[in-house]
């Protein structure tokens, strides 16, 4: 019994690796993200799985991946997962939100997803070895510029009304 369970688990992990290789191959071959998501779905991957794998291969294309997944019929719950994954992978939250809404996602779902994912993404931004934490530096006050009008100590009289 243990051997058959082990065989099933091994087979499932191999199938997962094969699907990952296919998503990578599609991206490497230059397919559009619409095509990558559609082909991954035709292989039996869910939209969320296809997005996760595509983001692992090409995080710089997070916005395109999210839009393709939403166009492929991601339901509101899936759209939230897709947008959250894209922002967490480093996509600009405003750009992702605009692209997702333009692709047909519900604006309230997208806004909630970007708001939830943005703090997590910014927390991850400072974890790299080459990155350094940035402190916000206060902005010095703007210098006061005098126009010279009425500055002659003349008792506060106005030179002219115009």
């Amino acid at each position: 019994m243990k051997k058959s369970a082990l065989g099933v688990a091994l087979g499932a992990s191999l199938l997962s690796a094969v699907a990952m290789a296919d998503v990578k191959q599609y991206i490497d071959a230059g397919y559009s993200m619409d095509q990558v998501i559609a082909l991954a779905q035709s292989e039996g991957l869910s939209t969320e799985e296809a997005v996760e794998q595509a983001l692992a291969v090409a995080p710089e294309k997070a916005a395109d991946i999210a839009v393709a997944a939403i166009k492929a019929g991601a339901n509101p719950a899936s759209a939230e997962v897709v947008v959250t994954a894209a922002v967490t992978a480093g996509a600009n939250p405003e750009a992702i939100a605009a692209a997702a809404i333009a692709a047909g996602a519900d604006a309230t779902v997208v806004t909630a997803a970007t708001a939830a994912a943005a703090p997590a993404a910014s927390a991850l931004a400072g974890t790299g070895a080459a990155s350094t934490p940035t402190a916000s530096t206060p902005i010095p006050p703007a210098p006061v510029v005098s126009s010279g009008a009425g500055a002659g100590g003349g008792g506060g009289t106005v030179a002219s009304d115009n």
Side-chain angles (χ1 to χ4, degrees):
M1 180 69 179
K2 288 182 183 179
K3 288 183 180 181
S4 65
L6 180 60
V8 169
L10 180 60
S13 68
L14 288 175
L15 287 174
S16 175
V18 168
M20 176 67 169
D22 290 340
V23 169
K24 181 179 180 346
Q25 288 173 353
Y26 297 143
I27 292 171
D28 289 346
Y31 286 106
S32 72
M33 284 305 151
D34 291 333
Q35 293 168 321
V36 170
I37 298 297
L39 289 167
Q41 288 174 326
S42 73
E43 293 174 0
L45 292 176
S46 70
T47 303
E48 294 84 4
E49 291 169 326
V51 167
E52 288 175 14
Q53 291 181 14
L55 285 170
V57 174
E60 72 282 0
K61 295 182 180 182
D64 294 336
I65 294 166
V67 168
I70 291 166
K71 284 182 186 176
N75 61 37
S78 297
E80 182 176 4
V81 170
V82 166
V83 169
T84 301
V87 172
T88 302
N92 178 312
E94 291 83 17
I96 276 291
I101 292 167
D106 182 1
T108 56
V109 170
V110 170
T111 304
T114 54
S122 65
L124 291 174
T127 59
S131 66
T132 56
T134 58
S136 61
T137 309
I139 299 172
V144 177
V145 178
S146 174
S147 65
T157 59
V158 178
S160 73
D161 289 336
N162 50 351

